[in-house]
Amino acid sequence: MNPPNFKPIAEPRSRKEIINMVNQIKDSFEMKSMFFPVCKFLEILPFFFDETLKLEYVENKELPPNTYAYYDPVNNLMMIDEEVYLRACNGVARDRFTIAHEIGHYFLVDKVMYTRKSDEKIPAYCDPEWQANAFASELLMPSRKILNMTVSSIVRECKVSYQAAEIALKNAKKSSYLH
């Protein structure tokens, strides 16, 4: 949770750095298919990456307002709305992205600094939410693999929303390091 009137700022990371991080993670598990089993991966995180990571599946009322999942780096705790988790495991696109987003926070957090002005614009590469979205997108829709696909094919093969597929494809096509 952020202190009032403070805005989180993350260590600067480019999309390319985030893509490389995701590829290293996937390569270590020899994950080559288009579909990423986000729930299974979440469940093995404490066993393969960090035995101190705690996963809690909670009722939505136990989370902050308008929050479906939350990673607390101080306590190394990921809290996930139990309904979101169940829907993600059943292939609901939005909930799969939510879980992937929180996994992104887990891997991307080195330290978070705060600025005093909550209305101050933060560059995307320093925004922890942008970084977690970029991580989730790459985890679920590998840029190199979707580059020559249609949005509908990405939706079908990766089990993601149409909107997420559109954004991922647009970003993949404009990334010069993928061509």
Side-chain angles (χ1 to χ4, degrees), residues 21-45 48-49 96 103 107 135 138-142 145:
M21 178 187 286
V22 170
N23 287 337
Q24 286 177 340
I25 293 165
K26 285 179 148 184
D27 288 349
S28 69
F29 285 93
E30 299 179 1
M31 295 180 167
K32 304 291 182 209
S33 72
M34 284 298 290
F35 177 78
F36 185 80
V38 71
C39 291
K40 286 182 182 177
F41 187 75
L42 176 67
E43 294 299 329
I44 66 169
L45 276 178
F48 288 96
F49 288 99
R96 285 176 36 78
I103 292 171
F107 279 104
F135 184 99
E138 188 64 25
L139 194 66
L140 298 175
M141 301 165 281
K145 290 183 179 181

PDB file of all heavy atoms in Angstrom, residues 21-45 48-49 96 103 107 135 138-142 145:
ATOM      1  N   MET A  21      13.986 -10.765 -19.150  1.00  0.00           N
ATOM      2  CA  MET A  21      13.762 -11.390 -17.849  1.00  0.00           C
ATOM      3  C   MET A  21      12.731 -12.517 -17.969  1.00  0.00           C
ATOM      4  O   MET A  21      12.943 -13.623 -17.460  1.00  0.00           O
ATOM      5  CB  MET A  21      13.284 -10.346 -16.830  1.00  0.00           C
ATOM      6  CG  MET A  21      12.970 -10.919 -15.459  1.00  0.00           C
ATOM      7  SD  MET A  21      12.219  -9.702 -14.351  1.00  0.00           S
ATOM      8  CE  MET A  21      13.643  -8.696 -13.976  1.00  0.00           C
ATOM      9  N   VAL A  22      11.625 -12.234 -18.644  1.00  0.00           N
ATOM     10  CA  VAL A  22      10.579 -13.248 -18.823  1.00  0.00           C
ATOM     11  C   VAL A  22      11.130 -14.441 -19.605  1.00  0.00           C
ATOM     12  O   VAL A  22      10.889 -15.597 -19.238  1.00  0.00           O
ATOM     13  CB  VAL A  22       9.334 -12.655 -19.522  1.00  0.00           C
ATOM     14  CG1 VAL A  22       8.356 -13.754 -19.931  1.00  0.00           C
ATOM     15  CG2 VAL A  22       8.648 -11.635 -18.625  1.00  0.00           C
ATOM     16  N   ASN A  23      11.908 -14.175 -20.650  1.00  0.00           N
ATOM     17  CA  ASN A  23      12.478 -15.264 -21.442  1.00  0.00           C
ATOM     18  C   ASN A  23      13.421 -16.130 -20.608  1.00  0.00           C
ATOM     19  O   ASN A  23      13.416 -17.359 -20.750  1.00  0.00           O
ATOM     20  CB  ASN A  23      13.195 -14.724 -22.681  1.00  0.00           C
ATOM     21  CG  ASN A  23      12.218 -14.222 -23.722  1.00  0.00           C
ATOM     22  OD1 ASN A  23      11.055 -14.622 -23.754  1.00  0.00           O
ATOM     23  ND2 ASN A  23      12.676 -13.330 -24.577  1.00  0.00           N
ATOM     24  N   GLN A  24      14.201 -15.529 -19.734  1.00  0.00           N
ATOM     25  CA  GLN A  24      15.091 -16.306 -18.855  1.00  0.00           C
ATOM     26  C   GLN A  24      14.282 -17.207 -17.930  1.00  0.00           C
ATOM     27  O   GLN A  24      14.632 -18.367 -17.713  1.00  0.00           O
ATOM     28  CB  GLN A  24      15.974 -15.376 -18.026  1.00  0.00           C
ATOM     29  CG  GLN A  24      17.082 -14.731 -18.811  1.00  0.00           C
ATOM     30  CD  GLN A  24      17.880 -13.753 -17.956  1.00  0.00           C
ATOM     31  OE1 GLN A  24      17.433 -13.281 -16.916  1.00  0.00           O
ATOM     32  NE2 GLN A  24      19.080 -13.436 -18.429  1.00  0.00           N
ATOM     33  N   ILE A  25      13.209 -16.666 -17.382  1.00  0.00           N
ATOM     34  CA  ILE A  25      12.348 -17.452 -16.484  1.00  0.00           C
ATOM     35  C   ILE A  25      11.748 -18.626 -17.249  1.00  0.00           C
ATOM     36  O   ILE A  25      11.806 -19.771 -16.801  1.00  0.00           O
ATOM     37  CB  ILE A  25      11.243 -16.566 -15.870  1.00  0.00           C
ATOM     38  CG1 ILE A  25      11.853 -15.534 -14.918  1.00  0.00           C
ATOM     39  CG2 ILE A  25      10.185 -17.415 -15.156  1.00  0.00           C
ATOM     40  CD1 ILE A  25      10.925 -14.401 -14.542  1.00  0.00           C
ATOM     41  N   LYS A  26      11.183 -18.336 -18.420  1.00  0.00           N
ATOM     42  CA  LYS A  26      10.551 -19.399 -19.222  1.00  0.00           C
ATOM     43  C   LYS A  26      11.580 -20.436 -19.680  1.00  0.00           C
ATOM     44  O   LYS A  26      11.303 -21.632 -19.665  1.00  0.00           O
ATOM     45  CB  LYS A  26       9.822 -18.807 -20.418  1.00  0.00           C
ATOM     46  CG  LYS A  26       8.524 -18.127 -20.054  1.00  0.00           C
ATOM     47  CD  LYS A  26       7.896 -17.555 -21.306  1.00  0.00           C
ATOM     48  CE  LYS A  26       6.410 -17.586 -21.199  1.00  0.00           C
ATOM     49  NZ  LYS A  26       5.747 -17.120 -22.430  1.00  0.00           N
ATOM     50  N   ASP A  27      12.766 -19.976 -20.079  1.00  0.00           N
ATOM     51  CA  ASP A  27      13.815 -20.896 -20.522  1.00  0.00           C
ATOM     52  C   ASP A  27      14.253 -21.822 -19.387  1.00  0.00           C
ATOM     53  O   ASP A  27      14.536 -22.993 -19.625  1.00  0.00           O
ATOM     54  CB  ASP A  27      15.021 -20.137 -21.067  1.00  0.00           C
ATOM     55  CG  ASP A  27      14.757 -19.492 -22.414  1.00  0.00           C
ATOM     56  OD1 ASP A  27      13.714 -19.804 -23.040  1.00  0.00           O
ATOM     57  OD2 ASP A  27      15.586 -18.665 -22.836  1.00  0.00           O
ATOM     58  N   SER A  28      14.292 -21.305 -18.177  1.00  0.00           N
ATOM     59  CA  SER A  28      14.721 -22.142 -17.045  1.00  0.00           C
ATOM     60  C   SER A  28      13.736 -23.278 -16.786  1.00  0.00           C
ATOM     61  O   SER A  28      14.098 -24.289 -16.192  1.00  0.00           O
ATOM     62  CB  SER A  28      14.936 -21.298 -15.784  1.00  0.00           C
ATOM     63  OG  SER A  28      13.718 -20.812 -15.284  1.00  0.00           O
ATOM     64  N   PHE A  29      12.502 -23.133 -17.233  1.00  0.00           N
ATOM     65  CA  PHE A  29      11.493 -24.183 -17.086  1.00  0.00           C
ATOM     66  C   PHE A  29      11.175 -24.863 -18.417  1.00  0.00           C
ATOM     67  O   PHE A  29      10.249 -25.659 -18.501  1.00  0.00           O
ATOM     68  CB  PHE A  29      10.203 -23.611 -16.484  1.00  0.00           C
ATOM     69  CG  PHE A  29      10.319 -23.348 -15.024  1.00  0.00           C
ATOM     70  CD1 PHE A  29      10.696 -22.103 -14.559  1.00  0.00           C
ATOM     71  CD2 PHE A  29      10.097 -24.360 -14.104  1.00  0.00           C
ATOM     72  CE1 PHE A  29      10.828 -21.858 -13.205  1.00  0.00           C
ATOM     73  CE2 PHE A  29      10.230 -24.127 -12.750  1.00  0.00           C
ATOM     74  CZ  PHE A  29      10.597 -22.878 -12.295  1.00  0.00           C
ATOM     75  N   GLU A  30      11.948 -24.499 -19.443  1.00  0.00           N
ATOM     76  CA  GLU A  30      11.753 -25.058 -20.781  1.00  0.00           C
ATOM     77  C   GLU A  30      10.305 -24.914 -21.253  1.00  0.00           C
ATOM     78  O   GLU A  30       9.719 -25.836 -21.809  1.00  0.00           O
ATOM     79  CB  GLU A  30      12.225 -26.510 -20.838  1.00  0.00           C
ATOM     80  CG  GLU A  30      13.697 -26.641 -20.524  1.00  0.00           C
ATOM     81  CD  GLU A  30      14.213 -28.070 -20.542  1.00  0.00           C
ATOM     82  OE1 GLU A  30      13.436 -28.994 -20.815  1.00  0.00           O
ATOM     83  OE2 GLU A  30      15.401 -28.231 -20.276  1.00  0.00           O
ATOM     84  N   MET A  31       9.739 -23.737 -21.010  1.00  0.00           N
ATOM     85  CA  MET A  31       8.369 -23.448 -21.429  1.00  0.00           C
ATOM     86  C   MET A  31       8.403 -22.867 -22.833  1.00  0.00           C
ATOM     87  O   MET A  31       8.842 -21.746 -23.028  1.00  0.00           O
ATOM     88  CB  MET A  31       7.720 -22.468 -20.460  1.00  0.00           C
ATOM     89  CG  MET A  31       7.552 -23.024 -19.086  1.00  0.00           C
ATOM     90  SD  MET A  31       6.766 -21.800 -18.014  1.00  0.00           S
ATOM     91  CE  MET A  31       6.355 -22.821 -16.622  1.00  0.00           C
ATOM     92  N   LYS A  32       7.950 -23.639 -23.789  1.00  0.00           N
ATOM     93  CA  LYS A  32       8.029 -23.234 -25.189  1.00  0.00           C
ATOM     94  C   LYS A  32       6.663 -23.022 -25.834  1.00  0.00           C
ATOM     95  O   LYS A  32       6.575 -22.432 -26.895  1.00  0.00           O
ATOM     96  CB  LYS A  32       8.798 -24.286 -25.996  1.00  0.00           C
ATOM     97  CG  LYS A  32      10.196 -24.587 -25.485  1.00  0.00           C
ATOM     98  CD  LYS A  32      11.129 -23.442 -25.688  1.00  0.00           C
ATOM     99  CE  LYS A  32      12.526 -23.813 -25.204  1.00  0.00           C
ATOM    100  NZ  LYS A  32      13.286 -22.695 -24.755  1.00  0.00           N
ATOM    101  N   SER A  33       5.600 -23.510 -25.227  1.00  0.00           N
ATOM    102  CA  SER A  33       4.285 -23.414 -25.869  1.00  0.00           C
ATOM    103  C   SER A  33       3.727 -21.992 -25.775  1.00  0.00           C
ATOM    104  O   SER A  33       4.172 -21.192 -24.962  1.00  0.00           O
ATOM    105  CB  SER A  33       3.301 -24.402 -25.229  1.00  0.00           C
ATOM    106  OG  SER A  33       2.935 -23.964 -23.949  1.00  0.00           O
ATOM    107  N   MET A  34       2.759 -21.699 -26.619  1.00  0.00           N
ATOM    108  CA  MET A  34       2.128 -20.379 -26.606  1.00  0.00           C
ATOM    109  C   MET A  34       1.339 -20.148 -25.322  1.00  0.00           C
ATOM    110  O   MET A  34       1.367 -19.066 -24.765  1.00  0.00           O
ATOM    111  CB  MET A  34       1.182 -20.230 -27.806  1.00  0.00           C
ATOM    112  CG  MET A  34       1.882 -19.989 -29.120  1.00  0.00           C
ATOM    113  SD  MET A  34       2.824 -18.451 -29.142  1.00  0.00           S
ATOM    114  CE  MET A  34       1.518 -17.247 -29.150  1.00  0.00           C
ATOM    115  N   PHE A  35       0.620 -21.164 -24.871  1.00  0.00           N
ATOM    116  CA  PHE A  35      -0.200 -21.022 -23.671  1.00  0.00           C
ATOM    117  C   PHE A  35       0.683 -21.103 -22.439  1.00  0.00           C
ATOM    118  O   PHE A  35       1.470 -22.033 -22.279  1.00  0.00           O
ATOM    119  CB  PHE A  35      -1.268 -22.119 -23.615  1.00  0.00           C
ATOM    120  CG  PHE A  35      -2.089 -22.071 -22.360  1.00  0.00           C
ATOM    121  CD1 PHE A  35      -3.108 -21.150 -22.220  1.00  0.00           C
ATOM    122  CD2 PHE A  35      -1.820 -22.928 -21.311  1.00  0.00           C
ATOM    123  CE1 PHE A  35      -3.867 -21.088 -21.058  1.00  0.00           C
ATOM    124  CE2 PHE A  35      -2.573 -22.885 -20.141  1.00  0.00           C
ATOM    125  CZ  PHE A  35      -3.587 -21.956 -20.025  1.00  0.00           C
ATOM    126  N   PHE A  36       0.562 -20.108 -21.561  1.00  0.00           N
ATOM    127  CA  PHE A  36       1.343 -20.107 -20.325  1.00  0.00           C
ATOM    128  C   PHE A  36       0.426 -20.484 -19.154  1.00  0.00           C
ATOM    129  O   PHE A  36      -0.563 -19.805 -18.899  1.00  0.00           O
ATOM    130  CB  PHE A  36       1.966 -18.736 -20.063  1.00  0.00           C
ATOM    131  CG  PHE A  36       2.876 -18.742 -18.876  1.00  0.00           C
ATOM    132  CD1 PHE A  36       4.170 -19.219 -18.994  1.00  0.00           C
ATOM    133  CD2 PHE A  36       2.435 -18.316 -17.635  1.00  0.00           C
ATOM    134  CE1 PHE A  36       5.020 -19.257 -17.899  1.00  0.00           C
ATOM    135  CE2 PHE A  36       3.257 -18.353 -16.533  1.00  0.00           C
ATOM    136  CZ  PHE A  36       4.558 -18.821 -16.661  1.00  0.00           C
ATOM    137  N   PRO A  37       0.765 -21.555 -18.423  1.00  0.00           N
ATOM    138  CA  PRO A  37      -0.074 -22.018 -17.307  1.00  0.00           C
ATOM    139  C   PRO A  37       0.157 -21.169 -16.047  1.00  0.00           C
ATOM    140  O   PRO A  37       0.857 -21.563 -15.126  1.00  0.00           O
ATOM    141  CB  PRO A  37       0.395 -23.466 -17.112  1.00  0.00           C
ATOM    142  CG  PRO A  37       1.833 -23.436 -17.534  1.00  0.00           C
ATOM    143  CD  PRO A  37       1.916 -22.425 -18.646  1.00  0.00           C
ATOM    144  N   VAL A  38      -0.458 -20.006 -16.025  1.00  0.00           N
ATOM    145  CA  VAL A  38      -0.174 -19.006 -15.000  1.00  0.00           C
ATOM    146  C   VAL A  38      -0.482 -19.501 -13.580  1.00  0.00           C
ATOM    147  O   VAL A  38       0.276 -19.218 -12.651  1.00  0.00           O
ATOM    148  CB  VAL A  38      -0.873 -17.666 -15.331  1.00  0.00           C
ATOM    149  CG1 VAL A  38      -2.362 -17.748 -15.144  1.00  0.00           C
ATOM    150  CG2 VAL A  38      -0.299 -16.522 -14.533  1.00  0.00           C
ATOM    151  N   CYS A  39      -1.552 -20.251 -13.393  1.00  0.00           N
ATOM    152  CA  CYS A  39      -1.883 -20.749 -12.047  1.00  0.00           C
ATOM    153  C   CYS A  39      -0.877 -21.793 -11.574  1.00  0.00           C
ATOM    154  O   CYS A  39      -0.437 -21.756 -10.422  1.00  0.00           O
ATOM    155  CB  CYS A  39      -3.304 -21.309 -12.002  1.00  0.00           C
ATOM    156  SG  CYS A  39      -4.545 -20.021 -12.164  1.00  0.00           S
ATOM    157  N   LYS A  40      -0.512 -22.697 -12.446  1.00  0.00           N
ATOM    158  CA  LYS A  40       0.493 -23.705 -12.073  1.00  0.00           C
ATOM    159  C   LYS A  40       1.819 -23.032 -11.740  1.00  0.00           C
ATOM    160  O   LYS A  40       2.502 -23.402 -10.791  1.00  0.00           O
ATOM    161  CB  LYS A  40       0.676 -24.731 -13.191  1.00  0.00           C
ATOM    162  CG  LYS A  40      -0.472 -25.690 -13.299  1.00  0.00           C
ATOM    163  CD  LYS A  40      -0.245 -26.712 -14.387  1.00  0.00           C
ATOM    164  CE  LYS A  40      -1.467 -27.609 -14.484  1.00  0.00           C
ATOM    165  NZ  LYS A  40      -1.346 -28.584 -15.561  1.00  0.00           N
ATOM    166  N   PHE A  41       2.185 -22.046 -12.557  1.00  0.00           N
ATOM    167  CA  PHE A  41       3.440 -21.332 -12.312  1.00  0.00           C
ATOM    168  C   PHE A  41       3.403 -20.611 -10.966  1.00  0.00           C
ATOM    169  O   PHE A  41       4.378 -20.649 -10.208  1.00  0.00           O
ATOM    170  CB  PHE A  41       3.729 -20.347 -13.447  1.00  0.00           C
ATOM    171  CG  PHE A  41       5.073 -19.702 -13.341  1.00  0.00           C
ATOM    172  CD1 PHE A  41       6.227 -20.408 -13.658  1.00  0.00           C
ATOM    173  CD2 PHE A  41       5.191 -18.396 -12.913  1.00  0.00           C
ATOM    174  CE1 PHE A  41       7.474 -19.824 -13.551  1.00  0.00           C
ATOM    175  CE2 PHE A  41       6.437 -17.799 -12.804  1.00  0.00           C
ATOM    176  CZ  PHE A  41       7.580 -18.513 -13.128  1.00  0.00           C
ATOM    177  N   LEU A  42       2.288 -19.955 -10.667  1.00  0.00           N
ATOM    178  CA  LEU A  42       2.135 -19.272  -9.387  1.00  0.00           C
ATOM    179  C   LEU A  42       2.370 -20.246  -8.227  1.00  0.00           C
ATOM    180  O   LEU A  42       3.072 -19.933  -7.271  1.00  0.00           O
ATOM    181  CB  LEU A  42       0.744 -18.650  -9.273  1.00  0.00           C
ATOM    182  CG  LEU A  42       0.406 -17.979  -7.940  1.00  0.00           C
ATOM    183  CD1 LEU A  42       1.270 -16.734  -7.733  1.00  0.00           C
ATOM    184  CD2 LEU A  42      -1.068 -17.622  -7.893  1.00  0.00           C
ATOM    185  N   GLU A  43       1.792 -21.423  -8.336  1.00  0.00           N
ATOM    186  CA  GLU A  43       1.896 -22.409  -7.263  1.00  0.00           C
ATOM    187  C   GLU A  43       3.307 -22.940  -7.055  1.00  0.00           C
ATOM    188  O   GLU A  43       3.660 -23.348  -5.950  1.00  0.00           O
ATOM    189  CB  GLU A  43       0.930 -23.571  -7.514  1.00  0.00           C
ATOM    190  CG  GLU A  43      -0.530 -23.176  -7.432  1.00  0.00           C
ATOM    191  CD  GLU A  43      -0.951 -22.640  -6.065  1.00  0.00           C
ATOM    192  OE1 GLU A  43      -0.394 -23.063  -5.047  1.00  0.00           O
ATOM    193  OE2 GLU A  43      -1.846 -21.779  -6.045  1.00  0.00           O
ATOM    194  N   ILE A  44       4.134 -22.942  -8.104  1.00  0.00           N
ATOM    195  CA  ILE A  44       5.505 -23.450  -7.933  1.00  0.00           C
ATOM    196  C   ILE A  44       6.499 -22.364  -7.541  1.00  0.00           C
ATOM    197  O   ILE A  44       7.628 -22.682  -7.163  1.00  0.00           O
ATOM    198  CB  ILE A  44       6.011 -24.201  -9.188  1.00  0.00           C
ATOM    199  CG1 ILE A  44       6.160 -23.251 -10.375  1.00  0.00           C
ATOM    200  CG2 ILE A  44       5.120 -25.390  -9.514  1.00  0.00           C
ATOM    201  CD1 ILE A  44       6.903 -23.840 -11.558  1.00  0.00           C
ATOM    202  N   LEU A  45       6.100 -21.093  -7.621  1.00  0.00           N
ATOM    203  CA  LEU A  45       7.015 -20.002  -7.263  1.00  0.00           C
ATOM    204  C   LEU A  45       7.717 -20.211  -5.923  1.00  0.00           C
ATOM    205  O   LEU A  45       8.944 -20.093  -5.850  1.00  0.00           O
ATOM    206  CB  LEU A  45       6.282 -18.658  -7.251  1.00  0.00           C
ATOM    207  CG  LEU A  45       6.127 -17.927  -8.563  1.00  0.00           C
ATOM    208  CD1 LEU A  45       5.328 -16.650  -8.364  1.00  0.00           C
ATOM    209  CD2 LEU A  45       7.455 -17.612  -9.174  1.00  0.00           C
ATOM    210  N   PHE A  48      10.457 -23.108  -6.313  1.00  0.00           N
ATOM    211  CA  PHE A  48      11.572 -22.996  -7.239  1.00  0.00           C
ATOM    212  C   PHE A  48      12.308 -21.664  -7.186  1.00  0.00           C
ATOM    213  O   PHE A  48      13.439 -21.582  -7.631  1.00  0.00           O
ATOM    214  CB  PHE A  48      11.102 -23.258  -8.674  1.00  0.00           C
ATOM    215  CG  PHE A  48      10.771 -24.697  -8.917  1.00  0.00           C
ATOM    216  CD1 PHE A  48       9.463 -25.144  -8.808  1.00  0.00           C
ATOM    217  CD2 PHE A  48      11.767 -25.601  -9.220  1.00  0.00           C
ATOM    218  CE1 PHE A  48       9.158 -26.473  -9.019  1.00  0.00           C
ATOM    219  CE2 PHE A  48      11.469 -26.932  -9.424  1.00  0.00           C
ATOM    220  CZ  PHE A  48      10.162 -27.373  -9.329  1.00  0.00           C
ATOM    221  N   PHE A  49      11.668 -20.615  -6.662  1.00  0.00           N
ATOM    222  CA  PHE A  49      12.310 -19.311  -6.659  1.00  0.00           C
ATOM    223  C   PHE A  49      12.570 -18.768  -5.268  1.00  0.00           C
ATOM    224  O   PHE A  49      13.583 -18.150  -5.028  1.00  0.00           O
ATOM    225  CB  PHE A  49      11.477 -18.297  -7.464  1.00  0.00           C
ATOM    226  CG  PHE A  49      11.532 -18.527  -8.931  1.00  0.00           C
ATOM    227  CD1 PHE A  49      10.511 -19.193  -9.574  1.00  0.00           C
ATOM    228  CD2 PHE A  49      12.612 -18.088  -9.678  1.00  0.00           C
ATOM    229  CE1 PHE A  49      10.553 -19.427 -10.933  1.00  0.00           C
ATOM    230  CE2 PHE A  49      12.668 -18.317 -11.036  1.00  0.00           C
ATOM    231  CZ  PHE A  49      11.639 -18.988 -11.672  1.00  0.00           C
ATOM    232  N   ARG A  96      -6.429 -14.268 -15.607  1.00  0.00           N
ATOM    233  CA  ARG A  96      -5.090 -14.789 -15.926  1.00  0.00           C
ATOM    234  C   ARG A  96      -4.095 -13.626 -15.987  1.00  0.00           C
ATOM    235  O   ARG A  96      -2.982 -13.727 -15.477  1.00  0.00           O
ATOM    236  CB  ARG A  96      -5.108 -15.539 -17.268  1.00  0.00           C
ATOM    237  CG  ARG A  96      -5.749 -16.913 -17.199  1.00  0.00           C
ATOM    238  CD  ARG A  96      -5.846 -17.611 -18.550  1.00  0.00           C
ATOM    239  NE  ARG A  96      -4.751 -17.406 -19.474  1.00  0.00           N
ATOM    240  CZ  ARG A  96      -3.554 -18.008 -19.419  1.00  0.00           C
ATOM    241  NH1 ARG A  96      -3.305 -18.865 -18.457  1.00  0.00           N
ATOM    242  NH2 ARG A  96      -2.624 -17.743 -20.317  1.00  0.00           N
ATOM    243  N   ILE A 103       2.615 -11.636 -10.505  1.00  0.00           N
ATOM    244  CA  ILE A 103       3.887 -12.358 -10.633  1.00  0.00           C
ATOM    245  C   ILE A 103       4.960 -11.389 -11.127  1.00  0.00           C
ATOM    246  O   ILE A 103       6.109 -11.431 -10.686  1.00  0.00           O
ATOM    247  CB  ILE A 103       3.732 -13.576 -11.577  1.00  0.00           C
ATOM    248  CG1 ILE A 103       2.832 -14.634 -10.920  1.00  0.00           C
ATOM    249  CG2 ILE A 103       5.100 -14.164 -11.931  1.00  0.00           C
ATOM    250  CD1 ILE A 103       2.422 -15.776 -11.850  1.00  0.00           C
ATOM    251  N   PHE A 107       8.680 -10.464  -9.421  1.00  0.00           N
ATOM    252  CA  PHE A 107      10.001 -10.556 -10.053  1.00  0.00           C
ATOM    253  C   PHE A 107      10.661  -9.192 -10.266  1.00  0.00           C
ATOM    254  O   PHE A 107      11.892  -9.115 -10.317  1.00  0.00           O
ATOM    255  CB  PHE A 107       9.910 -11.288 -11.397  1.00  0.00           C
ATOM    256  CG  PHE A 107       9.891 -12.770 -11.253  1.00  0.00           C
ATOM    257  CD1 PHE A 107       8.711 -13.476 -11.412  1.00  0.00           C
ATOM    258  CD2 PHE A 107      11.048 -13.481 -10.954  1.00  0.00           C
ATOM    259  CE1 PHE A 107       8.680 -14.857 -11.275  1.00  0.00           C
ATOM    260  CE2 PHE A 107      11.032 -14.854 -10.808  1.00  0.00           C
ATOM    261  CZ  PHE A 107       9.847 -15.554 -10.974  1.00  0.00           C
ATOM    262  N   PHE A 135       5.434  -7.128 -18.106  1.00  0.00           N
ATOM    263  CA  PHE A 135       5.837  -8.477 -17.699  1.00  0.00           C
ATOM    264  C   PHE A 135       4.701  -9.463 -17.970  1.00  0.00           C
ATOM    265  O   PHE A 135       4.909 -10.515 -18.577  1.00  0.00           O
ATOM    266  CB  PHE A 135       6.210  -8.479 -16.213  1.00  0.00           C
ATOM    267  CG  PHE A 135       6.736  -9.786 -15.714  1.00  0.00           C
ATOM    268  CD1 PHE A 135       8.102  -9.994 -15.580  1.00  0.00           C
ATOM    269  CD2 PHE A 135       5.883 -10.816 -15.352  1.00  0.00           C
ATOM    270  CE1 PHE A 135       8.601 -11.201 -15.108  1.00  0.00           C
ATOM    271  CE2 PHE A 135       6.350 -12.026 -14.892  1.00  0.00           C
ATOM    272  CZ  PHE A 135       7.731 -12.218 -14.764  1.00  0.00           C
ATOM    273  N   GLU A 138       4.181 -10.131 -21.700  1.00  0.00           N
ATOM    274  CA  GLU A 138       5.216 -11.000 -22.275  1.00  0.00           C
ATOM    275  C   GLU A 138       5.090 -12.430 -21.770  1.00  0.00           C
ATOM    276  O   GLU A 138       5.310 -13.386 -22.522  1.00  0.00           O
ATOM    277  CB  GLU A 138       6.615 -10.443 -21.957  1.00  0.00           C
ATOM    278  CG  GLU A 138       7.732 -11.169 -22.661  1.00  0.00           C
ATOM    279  CD  GLU A 138       7.682 -11.055 -24.182  1.00  0.00           C
ATOM    280  OE1 GLU A 138       7.120 -10.081 -24.719  1.00  0.00           O
ATOM    281  OE2 GLU A 138       8.223 -11.976 -24.844  1.00  0.00           O
ATOM    282  N   LEU A 139       4.734 -12.581 -20.524  1.00  0.00           N
ATOM    283  CA  LEU A 139       4.564 -13.920 -19.953  1.00  0.00           C
ATOM    284  C   LEU A 139       3.450 -14.675 -20.675  1.00  0.00           C
ATOM    285  O   LEU A 139       3.602 -15.849 -21.005  1.00  0.00           O
ATOM    286  CB  LEU A 139       4.246 -13.802 -18.451  1.00  0.00           C
ATOM    287  CG  LEU A 139       4.347 -15.064 -17.609  1.00  0.00           C
ATOM    288  CD1 LEU A 139       5.779 -15.562 -17.538  1.00  0.00           C
ATOM    289  CD2 LEU A 139       3.828 -14.778 -16.191  1.00  0.00           C
ATOM    290  N   LEU A 140       2.341 -13.992 -20.928  1.00  0.00           N
ATOM    291  CA  LEU A 140       1.178 -14.632 -21.539  1.00  0.00           C
ATOM    292  C   LEU A 140       1.205 -14.622 -23.062  1.00  0.00           C
ATOM    293  O   LEU A 140       0.610 -15.494 -23.695  1.00  0.00           O
ATOM    294  CB  LEU A 140      -0.102 -13.949 -21.047  1.00  0.00           C
ATOM    295  CG  LEU A 140      -0.363 -14.021 -19.543  1.00  0.00           C
ATOM    296  CD1 LEU A 140      -1.597 -13.203 -19.184  1.00  0.00           C
ATOM    297  CD2 LEU A 140      -0.497 -15.459 -19.071  1.00  0.00           C
ATOM    298  N   MET A 141       1.882 -13.619 -23.650  1.00  0.00           N
ATOM    299  CA  MET A 141       1.889 -13.459 -25.109  1.00  0.00           C
ATOM    300  C   MET A 141       3.302 -13.126 -25.579  1.00  0.00           C
ATOM    301  O   MET A 141       3.631 -11.953 -25.760  1.00  0.00           O
ATOM    302  CB  MET A 141       0.929 -12.332 -25.526  1.00  0.00           C
ATOM    303  CG  MET A 141      -0.504 -12.555 -25.115  1.00  0.00           C
ATOM    304  SD  MET A 141      -1.499 -11.044 -25.223  1.00  0.00           S
ATOM    305  CE  MET A 141      -1.013 -10.179 -23.712  1.00  0.00           C
ATOM    306  N   PRO A 142       4.156 -14.123 -25.763  1.00  0.00           N
ATOM    307  CA  PRO A 142       5.557 -13.861 -26.119  1.00  0.00           C
ATOM    308  C   PRO A 142       5.673 -13.034 -27.404  1.00  0.00           C
ATOM    309  O   PRO A 142       5.178 -13.436 -28.456  1.00  0.00           O
ATOM    310  CB  PRO A 142       6.152 -15.255 -26.317  1.00  0.00           C
ATOM    311  CG  PRO A 142       5.154 -16.219 -25.781  1.00  0.00           C
ATOM    312  CD  PRO A 142       3.833 -15.527 -25.715  1.00  0.00           C
ATOM    313  N   LYS A 145       6.764 -14.563 -30.709  1.00  0.00           N
ATOM    314  CA  LYS A 145       5.845 -15.569 -31.246  1.00  0.00           C
ATOM    315  C   LYS A 145       4.554 -14.965 -31.793  1.00  0.00           C
ATOM    316  O   LYS A 145       3.939 -15.532 -32.686  1.00  0.00           O
ATOM    317  CB  LYS A 145       5.518 -16.617 -30.183  1.00  0.00           C
ATOM    318  CG  LYS A 145       6.702 -17.504 -29.859  1.00  0.00           C
ATOM    319  CD  LYS A 145       6.329 -18.572 -28.870  1.00  0.00           C
ATOM    320  CE  LYS A 145       7.516 -19.471 -28.568  1.00  0.00           C
ATOM    321  NZ  LYS A 145       7.164 -20.521 -27.619  1.00  0.00           N
TER     322      LYS A 145
END
